[in-house]
Every structure is written in C-alpha cells, then in structure tokens.
Amino acid sequence: MNFLMDPNVAYLLLVIGFFLAIIALFSPGTGVLEVGAIFMIVLAGYSIYNLPINAWALVILLAGVFPFLLAVRKSRHWIYLILALVAFVIGSIFLFHSDKGATAINPVLATVVSVIVVPLVWIIAKRSIEAINRKPDFDLESLIGATGDARSDIGRDGTVYVLGEEWSARSSSRISAGSRVKVVSREGLVLIVKPDQEI
C-alpha cells in the first residue's frame, strides 16, 4: 500500500473517483460506475488522510466548483469554464506539500489531467442538462383526431399505424386489419380508436 502514499497516485485516484461519480450522477445505470467511484474515493481518502494537505489549495479547488456550475448553466460559458480550469489546476498542483514545503504533485500531471477532465465533465453535464430540459419531439396530444390504418384486428387490443408510428390500440367495437381508424382518445401509450367513417 506504499504506492498510495505517493501524492500523484492519490491525486489521480481522487480525480478518477470524482469523475466516475459525476458520470454516474448524470447517467445512472448498472451501479458499476457508482461502485468504481466509491472504491477510488476510499483509496484516495486513505492517501489524503496520511498526506500533508495545503488547506488554501483545497479551498481554491472547492471554489472552482462555482464557476464550473455557472459554465454549465450560463450561455457565456467559456469565461466561467476558464476560471474553473485555472482554479482546478492551481488547487491540484498545490493540494499536497512535501516535508520541505514544495509542491508534491507533478505540475505537468495536474495541468494535463485538469485540462482533460474539466472540459470532459463540462460536456457531459451540459449535454445531460440539455437532454433533461428538452421538450419531447412528439406531442402525444396531436394523436387525438388523427387517422391511420389498423395493422391487426382491433378489439381489446391491436396495432394501428398513425402519424408514421405503430401504436398499441383498443376499440369498443371490432375493427378488421387494414381498415381506416380514427383516434378518439388515449390511455398512456395505448390509443383508443374507432372506425373512420370519412373514407
């Protein structure tokens, strides 16, 4: 476990752990990312507990979160993203110190990792927020009153082709496959149809 006492290793474990945690936050799934994030953060935590930290560098790192969040939310994101990147680079380089007071993390490593990770996380966060706020491409209410074709016999269930899509359908009266139908209402994603008399 001596390798965990290397400040560069601790830094990389911390960055990877938070990166996995952020990806897991924006794209929850199997739990593999969450487990990986916890594992990396626990290893990094062990290292950090046993290494000397510059409190002011940690404050700069944490302060970098605010311009980063503004970069995700605001239209003039480049200014905030650059501020966040500068804060992360400075905070990363000076996060740990050696016994002699010098920086313990390789400045090139901290700069390269920050320049790769910060924009990558920004892209993931930005795209995820855009997807959450995006209006549906298809308005289900536009189905009411639309006409289409019965793809199968329709009674308690069946399939219709309406507005370029196949839908599950139900009707109070039996409708034969190939007949024209009109949508009168819907229950969730099931269309309630009747024979279309306007043929």
Side-chain angles (χ1 to χ4, degrees):
M1 297 288 275
N2 285 341
F3 73 98
L4 291 176
M5 295 302 99
D6 182 340
N8 293 301
V9 172
Y11 169 69
L12 283 175
L13 289 173
L14 189 63
V15 170
I16 293 169
F18 278 112
F19 182 71
L20 291 176
I22 289 168
I23 293 175
L25 178 68
F26 286 112
S27 57
T30 61
V32 173
L33 290 173
E34 290 85 348
V35 171
I38 291 170
F39 180 71
M40 293 294 184
I41 291 171
V42 166
L43 287 178
Y46 174 79
S47 300
I48 291 168
Y49 180 77
N50 292 293
L51 290 170
I53 294 179
N54 286 318
W56 62 269
L58 185 60
V59 170
I60 290 175
L61 265 175
L62 295 175
V65 172
F66 297 106
F68 180 81
L69 293 175
L70 289 172
V72 171
R73 292 285 191 183
K74 301 289 183 182
S75 57
R76 294 183 181 175
H77 53 267
W78 293 112
I79 297 166
Y80 299 114
L81 192 60
I82 290 169
L83 287 173
L85 191 55
V86 168
F88 287 130
V89 168
I90 293 171
S92 297
I93 291 172
F94 295 99
L95 183 60
F96 301 113
H97 62 83
S98 65
D99 296 335
K100 298 175 183 178
T103 60
I105 295 178
N106 185 321
V108 175
L109 173 69
T111 303
V112 169
V113 169
S114 296
V115 167
I116 292 172
V117 171
V118 171
L120 193 58
V121 171
W122 174 79
I123 290 169
I124 292 167
K126 193 87 170 164
R127 295 283 184 250
S128 299
I129 289 171
E130 285 172 2
I132 290 167
N133 293 333
R134 184 177 176 185
K135 292 180 180 177
D137 292 332
F138 191 86
D139 180 14
L140 292 175
E141 294 306 315
S142 66
L143 290 165
I144 310 301
T147 58
D149 299 311
R151 288 287 169 97
S152 67
D153 291 340
I154 302 170
R156 296 180 79 170
D157 61 6
T159 306
V160 294
Y161 186 78
V162 177
L163 297 179
E165 298 277 345
E166 282 199 2
W167 300 88
S168 296
R170 188 168 52 242
S171 177
S172 57
S173 60
R174 182 162 163 62
I175 301 173
S176 301
S179 302
R180 293 290 292 168
V181 296
K182 184 171 186 174
V183 180
V184 292
S185 65
R186 69 178 180 85
E187 294 177 3
L189 296 177
V190 177
L191 305 183
I192 311 302
V193 297
K194 67 175 186 179
D196 184 17
Q197 305 301 330
E198 300 174 9
I199 301 176

